[in-house]
Amino acid sequence: MSLAAIFSRVAGIVITIFVIATINFVLVRAAPGDPAAVIAGQSGATDEKFLAQVRAEYGLDQPYVVQLGAYLGKVATLDLGYSYRLRRPVKDLIAERLGPTLLLTLSAFLISLLGGVVFGALAGVRHGKISDLAISLLALILYATPVFWFGLMLVLLFSIKLEWLPAFGYVDMRAGSFGPFAYALDVLKHLCLPALTLGAIYMAMYARLMRASVIEVAAEDYIKTARAKGLTEGAILRGHMLRNASLPVITFAGLQVGAMIGGAVVVETVFSWPGLGRLIFDAVTSRDYPVLLGLFLVMSILVIAVNLLTDLIHRLVDPRLAVR
Amino acid sequence: MKRRGFNKMLLGAGLALPAMSLFRDGVAYAQGAAGGLTAIINPEPPVLVLPINQQIPTGTIGGKIYESLLSYDFELKPQPQLAESWEISEDGLTYTFHLAKKAKWHDGKPFTSADVVFSCNVMLKEVHPRARGVFDRCESITAPDDHTVVFKLKAPFGPFLLAFETSSAPMAPKHIYEGTDYRKNPANDTPIGTGPFKLKEWSRGSHIHLVANEDYYLEGQPVLTEIFYKVVPDGASRSVAMETGEAQLSQFADIEPFDVPRLAAMPNLKMTTKGYEFFSPVLWYELNLRKKPFDDLRFRKAARLLLDPKFIVDKINFGLGKPATGPIASTTKFYDPNVTIYKTDVAAANALLDEMGLKKDANGVRTTIKFLVVPFGEFWTRLAEYFRQAMKQGGIEVVLETTDPGGFAQRVSNWEFDTTSNMLYQNGDPALGVARSYISSNIRKGVMFTNTEGYSNKEVDELFDRAAVLTSDKERAELYSKVQKILVDDLPVLWMTEQQFPTIHDARLENAIDTAIGVNGTFGRARWAS
């Protein structure tokens, strides 16, 4: 890539972030209610002085334009601000939630991608057979199942009936006294159900996509050539079909991962997972503007980063792209 | 990976799964009376500093860390807490409290009268709306010596002794807060109180860990060594937690009503509705009296006759709570049952609506009104659906409007609603928690939990005002009886039920619920059955 191309790409990203920030600000403010009203609504009693104090702290007594200007200024200096509700810097709030969210999202992403590609390829290769039907049907059911319900069923089976895995939480509350290995094992145990729940629906999507893609690729001339030159079906699948068939899946997964980071709210809620999704949800319902806007900013950066990563993976899988 | 290797891995995973059950969270507590307690908390409190935040979960956890001068038994009689004893002057103007001499802050500094004066006269007046309302009635708050505090009132105030409940007037350490910006004080991360439990760790989004305060001033307390409050945002997960024993205590609306009977019947769990006497919430449907047709008493009567509080108790609340007869809860002192009783009567309701001239159209609809659904969970949604169903019998079409907590408080406090439901705590006395919803001086736009329906009646104003400044319970009871009769005839709101909250706990947990604030109490005496 030339210097100019890199520069235009970076400029594009910066402009995108500012546009997103402005839209976020306007959207968030368009909703009725403000932090003072929420705190008052949940305290059981309030008065004018209290409301005025909270509004002054948040700067809500300033005109909108001044508030927007102040906010964009903060974005420019990468200052995420301070949550007056939680009495902590937004930077810290996000930092402590980022780990659990990335752990959950990336595990779910891997589960869904691996599972989706494997099952999809299997179904595609056995197109029309019983196993294809079974996989397709299962994928359809998973895809149509509400996430929270699927999560609850897993809890019912693995936590209540079988008592194998904890029903919710990130780590045992007494984990402070655990050694590093026991701690990791404990987190892993807690991770199983939420990651499977979050991954399942995407796995179903990718499996369906992969199946269609494999069937399409199977009809290509170069597959016929491969077969004609006497390669085994397994070699054809591994050497010629998988790489080509997985391109649309990777494209799609790249788009989805952004949604996954922000869209884990339901799973995080069902499993009491201390991630970003829940922080967003709490911030929305309590109108905690600095937290919300900080989160939007971080997440738009994450999504942009993931898109870049997807581009790179594309180049690896499909060398033709790098040449162009 | 070679195929054989892969097969081995699969086999390994198959073996590992059952083995995991060995590592399952062991909650084998109850090692003797002490041991620890795992409780549910929902939602997660924003901060734990009770003096600057009084949201419900803050009160539950803050109530273990912070204390006020008094606690209250189930009949709301004041009991010693940070104050060992107290006297009231004949004229009801001077209250003298003698403080516990051994009380200390969690950082080791002694708790003295200077802290009380600072809290009540300076800090709470600045940051705590409810305390501000009470302590503004004081002419002076002074400390003649280290362990005596004297409150001098401008005029007598009947419920003054009820103002010293933990959430109503939590004591704050002077040496930490004096001269600082209270809300921004860095010490807010590490709350310092006088209570039997101290904050050890707060893992945000996951749990809050409290440990016993070894230096606690009351002999033999606390018994428990630690309390974990686990944040569980999902209702179904909370039920599961109680069921599996991962949590041993839930409070307020943690468990959805439909799950309560099932959990209460489990042999390892117990359910109690005691310990909410101080709050004694009364639930009602609120009509915006500024709008037509709600300003017409006949309409309100008709609406009341279409509703059946018993249905709410039995079908929505699954047996918890009881029908309310008026504005004051029967669990508090000045309740008078001798008021007009409304029996569900669809025919009479329709007659009243006919009389108003609200004719039914071709579809049988007299009028269409909106209902703002309270966004705090399943229970409130059912309540809205019931309202719609009940009104239909009178030809009143109800359109449900949904919102979220921010929007809800904003719209109700700015009077932008037709009808909604609401529930207010009584805070131990009509002057503290009832009058505010009906007196016209408390019609304050933009402020939640005021007279949001817009009711105004000079006689009611006067009765409430006079009853507040009397000190004789007998005289106060007379005035409150009168005001209850007038209000029930006037129907400023449609009272439905005296709500009861289910506290569900491990059957072996004892003495946790021992005051009128129950789960918000100190838990100093809480212990495991041996």
Side-chain angles (χ1 to χ4, degrees):
Chain A
M1 237 191 280
S2 71
L3 206 63
I6 292 175
F7 179 77
S8 78
R9 179 114 199 206
V10 170
I13 290 174
V14 169
I15 291 169
T16 311
I17 289 176
F18 273 92
V19 170
I20 291 174
T22 309
I23 294 175
N24 285 338
F25 181 88
V26 173
L27 277 181
V28 165
R29 291 309 171 82
D34 66 28
V38 178
I39 298 174
Q42 294 169 357
S43 303
T46 180
D47 62 5
E48 287 90 346
K49 185 171 177 184
F50 175 81
L51 294 169
Q53 284 169 340
V54 178
R55 287 183 182 136
E57 259 193 319
Y58 275 88
L60 300 178
D61 46 356
Q62 308 282 327
Y64 274 109
V65 182
V66 175
Q67 292 181 46
L68 177 63
Y71 169 59
L72 290 180
K74 279 186 176 173
V75 170
T77 53
L78 293 180
D79 173 8
L80 297 184
Y82 183 82
S83 164
Y84 298 100
R85 188 177 84 93
L86 302 167
R87 303 277 149 208
R88 306 190 68 205
V90 175
K91 180 167 56 73
D92 295 0
L93 287 169
I94 295 179
E96 67 194 9
R97 301 291 185 105
L98 199 58
T101 282
L102 288 180
L103 183 64
L104 174 64
T105 321
L106 292 180
S107 327
F109 183 67
L110 285 181
I111 291 175
S112 61
L113 204 57
L114 286 179
V117 167
V118 169
F119 288 120
L122 213 66
V125 171
R126 309 199 171 181
H127 177 47
K129 302 213 176 98
I130 283 286
S131 48
D132 170 33
L133 199 70
I135 290 173
S136 299
L137 193 69
L138 196 70
L140 195 66
I141 291 174
L142 272 184
Y143 182 62
T145 309
V147 176
F148 77 93
W149 189 81
F150 184 61
L152 286 176
M153 290 305 112
L154 287 181
V155 167
L156 211 59
L157 181 63
F158 291 103
S159 304
I160 298 181
K161 289 275 177 267
L162 298 174
E163 303 196 356
W164 287 359
L165 295 165
F168 54 79
Y170 172 65
V171 67
D172 189 286
M173 291 180 299
R174 283 160 284 272
S177 56
F178 290 5
F181 178 72
Y183 188 91
L185 189 73
D186 192 58
V187 171
L188 191 68
K189 236 169 49 180
H190 283 83
L191 179 65
C192 290
L193 294 185
L196 192 60
T197 308
L198 184 61
I201 189 165
Y202 293 99
M203 176 160 44
M205 263 191 250
Y206 301 154
R208 287 159 58 78
L209 201 63
M210 187 70 190
R211 175 181 173 273
S213 184
V214 164
I215 292 171
E216 197 183 305
V217 169
E220 297 280 345
D221 288 342
Y222 58 85
I223 301 294
K224 280 184 198 143
T225 312
R227 202 166 278 141
K229 75 180 181 188
L231 288 181
T232 63
E233 285 300 314
I236 294 175
L237 181 66
R238 282 194 300 273
H240 298 275
M241 282 164 84
L242 274 189
R243 201 178 255 213
N244 285 304
S246 58
L247 282 177
V249 179
I250 292 170
T251 311
F252 192 60
L255 293 175
Q256 292 294 328
V257 83
M260 240 176 171
I261 292 172
V265 182
V266 175
V267 174
E268 287 180 1
T269 304
V270 169
F271 291 99
S272 306
W273 193 262
L276 283 181
R278 258 174 63 208
L279 188 63
I280 298 172
F281 183 73
D282 289 347
V284 171
T285 51
S286 57
R287 302 284 188 277
D288 199 339
Y289 299 139
V291 176
L292 260 185
L293 294 171
L295 276 166
F296 286 147
L297 191 63
V298 168
M299 293 185 54
S300 37
I301 292 171
L302 272 179
V303 170
I304 289 169
V306 168
N307 282 348
L308 276 176
L309 199 71
T310 316
D311 279 1
L312 285 178
I313 295 176
H314 253 154
R315 276 156 209 262
L316 280 180
V317 176
D318 188 353
R320 285 173 301 176
L321 285 173
V323 178
R324 246 176 254 161
Chain B
M1 190 184 286
K2 288 212 181 87
R3 180 170 298 161
R4 196 168 299 155
F6 184 72
N7 285 348
K8 258 189 203 154
M9 199 182 79
L10 271 184
L11 190 69
L15 287 176
L17 267 179
M20 274 185 183
S21 61
L22 298 178
F23 303 107
R24 200 171 160 268
D25 287 5
V27 206
Y29 266 141
Q31 321 103 336
L37 170 70
T38 305
I40 286 173
I41 195 73
N42 177 65
E44 185 172 18
V47 288
L48 292 178
V49 185
L50 197 49
I52 60 171
N53 180 291
Q54 296 87 41
Q55 279 165 266
I56 295 165
T58 316
T60 302
I61 302 181
K64 317 285 172 281
I65 301 171
Y66 291 92
E67 294 178 313
S68 190
L69 298 187
L70 302 173
S71 66
Y72 304 88
D73 67 13
F74 295 125
E75 278 78 47
L76 296 174
K77 273 218 280 302
Q79 304 293 324
Q81 191 67 49
L82 279 169
E84 280 174 341
S85 62
W86 54 95
E87 298 111 41
I88 309 168
S89 68
E90 279 294 314
D91 57 7
L93 286 173
T94 310
Y95 288 71
T96 309
F97 292 90
H98 303 283
L99 307 179
K101 294 200 172 64
K102 280 160 70 187
K104 275 188 201 151
W105 294 104
H106 291 162
D107 59 4
K109 296 261 175 17
F111 165 80
T112 68
S113 52
D115 293 306
V116 182
V117 173
F118 169 73
S119 301
C120 298
N121 210 17
V122 186
M123 182 166 166
L124 293 180
K125 272 190 185 171
E126 179 62 27
V127 296
H128 191 312
R130 233 163 355 113
R132 178 154 55 226
V134 171
F135 295 121
D136 275 348
R137 292 172 180 271
C138 292
E139 189 168 296
S140 70
I141 304 174
T142 50
D145 66 56
D146 268 3
H147 299 99
T148 312
V149 186
V150 180
F151 292 80
K152 271 212 168 62
L153 296 175
K154 293 174 192 155
F157 184 51
F160 191 66
L161 273 185
L162 284 159
F164 295 94
E165 177 265 335
T166 308
S167 298
S168 310
M171 291 300 136
K174 182 183 180 184
H175 63 278
I176 287 175
Y177 286 100
E178 192 180 35
T180 67
D181 181 340
Y182 310 129
R183 293 191 177 83
K184 290 198 181 126
N185 194 314
N188 289 342
D189 270 351
T190 48
I192 303 280
T194 55
F197 292 93
K198 305 188 280 191
L199 177 69
K200 169 103 185 285
E201 182 211 13
W202 183 353
S203 172
R204 305 234 172 203
S206 173
H207 63 268
I208 292 167
H209 185 189
L210 306 179
V211 291
N213 170 12
E214 314 265 308
D215 279 340
Y216 193 54
Y217 60 96
L218 291 176
E219 209 54 52
Q221 293 191 27
V223 187
L224 298 178
T225 52
E226 59 184 350
I227 305 176
F228 285 100
Y229 275 100
K230 204 163 182 167
V231 183
V232 190
D234 179 62
S237 301
R238 290 194 289 274
S239 295
V240 166
M242 293 304 296
E243 220 174 318
T244 57
E246 271 184 70
Q248 296 138 335
L249 173 70
S250 73
Q251 59 265 320
F252 288 99
D254 283 350
I255 303 298
E256 294 285 358
F258 50 80
D259 267 341
V260 172
R262 185 169 62 85
L263 293 182
M266 291 184 63
N268 58 330
L269 295 176
K270 264 193 191 145
M271 194 270 283
T272 176
T273 56
K274 275 182 101 76
Y276 296 99
E277 292 77 7
F278 189 86
F279 313 113
S280 291
V282 171
L283 173 87
W284 64 70
Y285 287 115
E286 191 159 317
L287 313 173
N288 191 343
L289 306 183
R290 299 164 192 86
K291 294 189 176 181
K292 281 186 186 317
F294 316 116
D295 57 338
D296 192 323
L297 177 59
R298 290 172 298 181
F299 185 88
R300 303 201 293 273
K301 273 201 174 131
R304 178 63 188 80
L305 292 172
L306 291 170
L307 293 160
D308 178 12
K310 196 91 180 63
F311 182 92
I312 296 176
V313 172
D314 293 342
K315 299 293 189 305
I316 302 181
N317 242 350
F318 291 82
L320 285 181
K322 63 183 208 176
T325 55
I328 297 180
S330 63
T331 38
T332 60
K333 231 173 351 194
F334 302 108
Y335 170 72
D336 187 346
N338 300 311
V339 293
T340 308
I341 301 293
Y342 296 93
K343 284 228 171 67
T344 314
D345 188 340
V346 176
N350 275 297
L352 276 168
L353 294 168
D354 283 338
E355 191 191 311
M356 279 176 70
L358 288 172
K359 293 267 172 328
K360 283 190 182 176
D361 68 8
N363 301 320
V365 177
R366 293 176 198 274
T367 178
T368 302
I369 60 175
K370 291 181 200 147
F371 185 97
L372 187 64
V373 184
V374 179
F376 293 120
E378 283 290 304
F379 169 77
W380 297 97
T381 312
R382 296 291 97 77
L383 213 57
E385 287 162 354
Y386 171 62
F387 186 76
R388 182 172 59 186
Q389 189 187 322
M391 291 302 116
K392 206 157 199 156
Q393 295 173 295
I396 303 165
E397 186 74 31
V398 179
V399 179
L400 301 183
E401 299 177 282
T402 51
T403 174
D404 75 343
F408 174 72
Q410 171 106 342
R411 288 190 51 184
V412 173
S413 60
N414 284 303
W415 315 333
E416 293 157 4
F417 67 100
D418 274 5
T419 62
T420 184
S421 46
N422 208 342
M423 181 174 84
L424 255 70
Y425 289 174
Q426 307 228 315
N427 295 331
D429 192 279
L432 295 173
V434 179
R436 57 178 173 161
S437 303
Y438 310 104
I439 54 177
S440 47
S441 59
N442 208 27
I443 299 180
R444 295 187 285 169
K445 194 168 189 169
V447 187
M448 194 59 191
F449 302 119
T450 53
N451 181 349
T452 41
E453 77 273 12
Y455 179 70
S456 174
N457 180 336
K458 274 219 176 75
E459 204 183 349
V460 168
D461 291 350
E462 218 180 277
L463 285 168
F464 271 125
D465 286 351
R466 269 174 51 212
V469 297
L470 289 173
T471 48
S472 140
D473 275 0
K474 208 172 139 266
E475 286 172 278
R476 295 188 72 202
E478 268 172 42
L479 298 182
Y480 284 128
S481 283
K482 258 192 212 164
V483 90
Q484 284 174 78
K485 287 190 173 67
I486 299 173
L487 284 175
V488 173
D489 286 335
D490 242 5
L491 290 176
V493 300
L494 311 178
W495 301 282
M496 285 291 118
T497 56
E498 294 180 11
Q499 281 302 104
Q500 287 175 340
F501 294 113
T503 297
I504 299 179
H505 61 85
D506 191 302
R508 294 163 299 177
L509 183 66
E510 292 176 345
N511 297 347
I513 309 301
D514 58 353
T515 66
I517 57 169
V519 290
N520 282 10
T522 64
F523 280 13
R525 295 176 58 246
R527 50 173 285 149
W528 291 101
S530 28

